[in-house]
Amino acid sequence: MAYKPQYGPGQTQIAENRRKQMDPNHKLEKLRDISDKDVVLVMGHRAPGSAYPSAHPPLAEQQEPACPIRKLVTPTDGAKAGDRIRYIQFTDSMYNAPCQPYQRSWLESYRFRGIDPGTLSGRQIVECRERDLEKYAKELISTELFDAALTGIRGCTVHGHSLRLDENGMMFDMLQRFVIDKKTGIIKYIKDQVGVPLDTEVKVGKAQDAKWLKAHTTMYHSMVGTGFRDDPEYVEYITRIHELRVKYGFMPKEA
Amino acid sequence: MTEATFPQCRIVTERLLSPETTEHLLNQICSVAGVRRMVLNGPRLPAIVDYGPAKGLANPHTMRKKIHVGDEEFELQVHVGTILLELENREVIPALQAACTPVFTDYSFYIQEGRFMKTEPSLVDYCKYGPDADKMIIGLADPKSKSKPVILQGTI
């Protein structure tokens, strides 16, 4: 029988959402249109329309050592062209944001190639070749993984994940990179991810409503959503991992 | 200042407060007699970006505004999330509760009683203020900060 990955334990809606996001065969729901230019603007690594600076000559032009692994692995477009390594970093609010740092690293590992995700408690960074990054970033921003109010694209000064929301439902941002238009409710980026003001604002659409967020979140939160302890299967799984890690030094043997 | 220990409490809200709500709330608190000292807590909103690639650039922020409380006008330096209060006595708390209730119509808040302010000078306070520091200002601001407490007449 062919192996079928389970992606993760749990019986709650949150666990199901996590599995869906991780499963590369599940097409992520597209919520907003964002242009390539806007993605480049928000990341702030190069001017839109400019050539990709390179870190080394294209692979086709340089002598590759005889290596069986290089023969096995097809390089990504960015690697082929010799692009620089660049990053995008996200902060996700604890208050029912659609994605969260660990989840991001897991799903990116399943869905994308040639990436180096870095997971921290309240933010997650993913590094890869520049043109690959732009393609991945577009997917991360335009789909159900992103909520305009509760997900922030923040390269630095990321604080906000664990803070209470503002009165208008936005996640705290010391640099206020994105603001809400009070009349239309549309949220727009006025600074790039490291806080440098943009010449043109980048619109990322309206915030999702509370009902949608509760149905699509991948974050356990006992006060505003589903508590972690409401999912006994997940608790059992985490307890088992924890137990094995603690006992690891004593060379555990499972019965 | 006598050795008496004054009761303290804090107002915690479900959301971080906008300057308008903060102004409304503080004016409501000002109308309650028996509040000795007050600290606005929350994440800082610097006027200039002080680190990162945008270091040195101005940091316009809609939550950093001048507000008018009592007879004083001052600029908020934090996005207010919690308000610490030192009271003359515990009987003030029900009055505070009644004053805060009309402000929070869209979301909840609660008032906790406990010890939330620094009560004794620490080493940094000693370095800044010396051995005879006025205990009224201890715990009101970071000793390294150049900002001074705002005195609201008639409420202390």
Side-chain angles (χ1 to χ4, degrees), chain A residues 88-107:
Chain A
I88 188 166
Q89 185 167 252
F90 291 94
T91 305
D92 300 285
S93 172
M94 275 172 39
Y95 290 92
N96 283 346
C99 207
Q100 40 101 339
Y102 261 101
Q103 174 73 8
R104 283 187 183 278
S105 290
W106 290 330
L107 75 91

Side-chain angles (χ1 to χ4, degrees), chain A residues 87 95 156-159 163-170 172-176 179 182 191 194-197, chain B residues 12-18 21 43-46 49 51 53-54 57 59-63 79 81-82 107:
Chain A
Y87 71 91
Y95 290 92
C156 63
T157 323
V158 296
H159 197 37
L163 296 186
R164 282 165 283 166
L165 301 177
D166 296 358
E167 279 183 55
N168 55 14
M170 305 273 282
F172 172 79
D173 184 5
M174 191 179 95
L175 300 185
Q176 203 165 50
V179 291
K182 278 183 188 169
K191 292 181 179 179
V194 293
V196 176
Chain B
V12 185
T13 57
E14 195 183 332
R15 294 280 175 105
L16 298 179
L17 306 181
S18 67
T21 312
R44 201 167 69 91
L45 301 171
V49 181
Y51 59 90
L57 295 179
N59 182 33
H61 202 296
T62 49
M63 299 299 167
H79 195 166
T82 309
Y107 49 88

Side-chain angles (χ1 to χ4, degrees), chain A residues 73-134:
Chain A
V73 181
T74 314
T76 61
D77 292 343
K80 259 188 223 164
D83 286 354
R84 305 176 299 178
I85 301 287
R86 284 296 174 264
Y87 71 91
I88 188 166
Q89 185 167 252
F90 291 94
T91 305
D92 300 285
S93 172
M94 275 172 39
Y95 290 92
N96 283 346
C99 207
Q100 40 101 339
Y102 261 101
Q103 174 73 8
R104 283 187 183 278
S105 290
W106 290 330
L107 75 91
E108 283 163 5
S109 302
Y110 281 115
R111 286 175 181 271
F112 304 147
R113 292 185 63 229
I115 55 158
D116 179 7
T119 322
L120 297 100
S121 56
R123 59 190 160 121
Q124 191 263 5
I125 186 168
V126 58
E127 296 177 16
C128 64
R129 302 283 189 158
E130 198 163 358
R131 76 188 70 196
D132 301 334
L133 176 72
E134 287 171 11

